[in-house]
Each structure stands twice: as C-alpha cells, then as structure tokens.
Amino acid sequence: MHYISLNTAASLSGLSKRTLWRRVADGMLRALSAGAGERTGVALDDAIALSRLRLSPDDGELVVAADAGDPDAQCDLALMFLAQDYAESALPWLEAAAGQYHAEAMHWLGRCYISGKGVPADEKTGADWISKAASRGHSTASLMVRYLESSDRPREPAAVEAALDAIERKVVLSVLDETAH
C-alpha cells in the first residue's frame, strides 16, 4: 500500500488538513505515522477516493511521484489541476517543480501569472517565469519571450493570452507536421 503526505491529500481533496485529521481520527482515512516529528502518511487509495480530480487508476503512481518531489510528476499533476479548472491547486505543484528548474513548470507558471489563473494577473512575473523557461531550453517559451518583449503588441490580458495560445498552437502543429513527413 502506498502512502502520501497529508499536504498532498489536502491538495487532491480540497479539504483542510484539520478535516483530514478528523477523518483519520474517525477511522474514515487510513494513516501511517513513522513517529514523533515524522511525516504522517495517508493511504493513497483513501486520498484518491476523496479527490476532486478525475483520476485514472494509473494516476496513483503520478501522485506518489509528485508527493516524493519528482519535478516531472509535480508538473504533470499541476497540469491535471489546470485542465480540470483547479488553478489555485496547480500553483504549489508548478512552484515546486519550477523550484527544481523544470522548464515546462516554469512555462506554465508564467502562463498562470499572465492569465491570472490561480493568482492575481501579473504580466511581469509571468514574463519572468517564461523567460526562465526559455533559458532552460523550452522552445515555445523562447517564442513567447520574443512576443512579450515586442513593443507593438496588445497589452490587454485576454489578447496576450490569446497570442500566447496561438504561439503554442503554431509550435505544436509545426512539430506534428515535421513528424508526419
């Protein structure tokens, strides 16, 4: 049986740690504590049952890896939160992965700041994160940086977000076209 941290269980469920502790005390949530001062683990299956995310059976491994600090898994879990309209829950996972220099996480963290998803809109902070992603070799981010630095571009947040979406779409279609030939 796999166990994840109480923080990860709270992230998945949207419940407070205090509520999760009550469920542990009531026997509704299995927990494992390694001892005083050690991290309490919550049964992965129980946490998934409480999750507000639509998770497949295979997603348990992703949750365990994200909880263990794997930046790829943290970014992927964040993208699941974003795709299911839980942007505020995605941010800590993006920040954790970006803190480990994960270019894709930096890119999406920047996109969240620019669009105001999960955080107050802040184009400068968003552009900084996208620039960091570009410096780590993220090809879409490098094109976005050029756009964001352009003096003749629109400044309205919705127009900026639409332009960034168009850049991303163009890159993806270009890669698909190259692989088809």
Side-chain angles (χ1 to χ4, degrees):
M1 174 176 305
H2 291 285
Y3 288 86
I4 58 173
S5 71
L6 200 60
N7 286 336
T8 297
S11 175
L12 289 175
S13 67
L15 300 172
S16 69
K17 290 194 317 187
R18 183 182 192 112
T19 297
L20 292 173
W21 274 118
R22 279 195 303 270
R23 292 194 178 191
V24 167
D26 293 343
M28 298 170 55
L29 187 60
R30 292 172 288 169
L32 175 70
S33 181
E38 295 293 324
R39 178 176 104 152
T40 296
V42 176
L44 175 65
D45 295 339
D46 295 349
I48 287 177
L50 293 173
S51 179
R52 57 201 160 142
L53 288 178
R54 293 179 304 280
L55 296 170
S56 73
D58 295 335
D59 292 331
E61 291 177 25
L62 173 73
V63 172
V64 170
D67 183 59
D70 179 88
D72 289 328
Q74 290 171 331
C75 184
D76 289 347
L77 185 57
L79 294 177
M80 289 178 73
F81 276 112
L82 284 174
Q84 295 181 38
D85 294 323
Y86 296 111
E88 287 183 14
S89 295
L91 266 288
W93 294 108
L94 289 173
E95 290 167 347
Q100 296 180 68
Y101 307 104
H102 192 279
E104 186 73 5
M106 292 174 175
H107 163 253
W108 282 105
L109 190 55
R111 295 289 306 266
C112 286
Y113 273 101
I114 287 172
S115 66
K117 289 183 181 170
V119 292
D122 182 344
E123 186 175 315
K124 182 186 177 332
T125 300
D128 288 347
W129 277 113
I130 291 173
S131 179
K132 288 176 185 180
S135 72
R136 306 281 310 163
H138 193 283
S139 60
T140 305
S142 62
L143 295 171
M144 290 178 179
V145 167
R146 275 188 253 150
Y147 170 79
L148 291 168
E149 291 175 346
S150 172
S151 61
D152 61 341
R153 68 172 175 83
R155 299 291 176 194
E156 304 80 38
V160 172
E161 184 66 15
L164 296 180
D165 285 343
I167 291 168
E168 195 152 1
R169 191 170 26 261
K170 181 179 177 182
V171 169
V172 169
L173 291 174
S174 173
V175 168
L176 288 173
D177 188 47
E178 287 175 20
T179 58
H181 292 105

